[in-house]
Amino acid sequence: MAYEVDKTEEEWKRELNPFEYHVLREAGTEPPFTGEYTDTKTTGVYQCRACGAELFRSETKFESHCGWPSFYDPADSSAVELLEDRSHGMVRTEVRCARCGSHLGHVFRGEGYPTPTDERYCINSVSLRLVPEEG
């Protein structure tokens, strides 16, 4: 798929540190309960760490106790791309940034969380950058 932000892998490697590159460009996963934003309650906007696109807002972040930041809805439905992921012997739905194609995490449905969508966007902290709301 062609993305608005289109860079070579060498360009991504120059711009991202090795761990960011592994998660964002190679669909890696950070270990649970280690991410910068797992327990953050700061009000603001979560952007893609690779390209700066607005992905999630703090109002949709909730405590799922799964080890990664969880959101029940993206900031805009066109901000993320959802793809079938059959890796690791299971079928999941991968979440990518729609602007640059970077891997963010996975979305799970029907788990019974008391949220408006009954969805859990389980997102790697290293895929995000929080821009705190001013004021």
Side-chain angles (χ1 to χ4, degrees):
M1 165 148 184
Y3 294 100
E4 179 184 337
V5 176
D6 184 25
K7 298 181 183 184
T8 67
E9 291 311 304
E10 286 307 312
E11 289 174 306
W12 286 121
K13 284 180 180 178
R14 281 194 302 272
E15 293 179 20
L16 303 169
N17 72 40
F19 187 60
E20 291 169 344
Y21 181 85
H22 173 64
V23 173
L24 288 156
R25 305 307 305 169
E26 298 177 324
T29 302
E30 66 192 3
F33 302 103
T34 62
E36 176 181 7
Y37 302 124
T38 303
D39 298 316
T40 300
K41 296 187 183 1
T42 303
T43 301
V45 172
Y46 289 87
Q47 298 177 339
C48 175
R49 189 174 298 252
C51 75
E54 181 178 319
L55 300 172
F56 300 95
R57 298 188 145 278
S58 58
E59 298 86 57
T60 65
K61 188 172 187 290
F62 69 101
E63 292 186 31
S64 67
H65 308 287
C66 70
W68 294 273
S70 295
F71 303 87
Y72 62 78
D73 210 14
D76 182 318
S77 61
S78 64
V80 297
E81 174 183 35
L82 304 179
L83 302 168
E84 184 178 279
D85 176 2
R86 291 185 169 268
S87 65
H88 305 291
M90 61 185 105
V91 178
R92 300 179 292 174
T93 303
E94 179 185 8
V95 181
R96 288 190 187 174
C97 173
R99 187 166 178 245
C100 71
S102 289
H103 174 76
L104 305 172
H106 291 86
V107 62
F108 302 94
R109 295 177 176 89
E111 296 179 313
Y113 287 101
T115 61
T117 63
D118 198 18
E119 294 181 326
R120 175 173 59 96
Y121 285 81
C122 183
I123 307 298
N124 292 287
S125 287
V126 73
S127 296
L128 303 171
R129 180 170 287 113
L130 173 61
V131 178
E133 190 175 276
E134 295 182 24

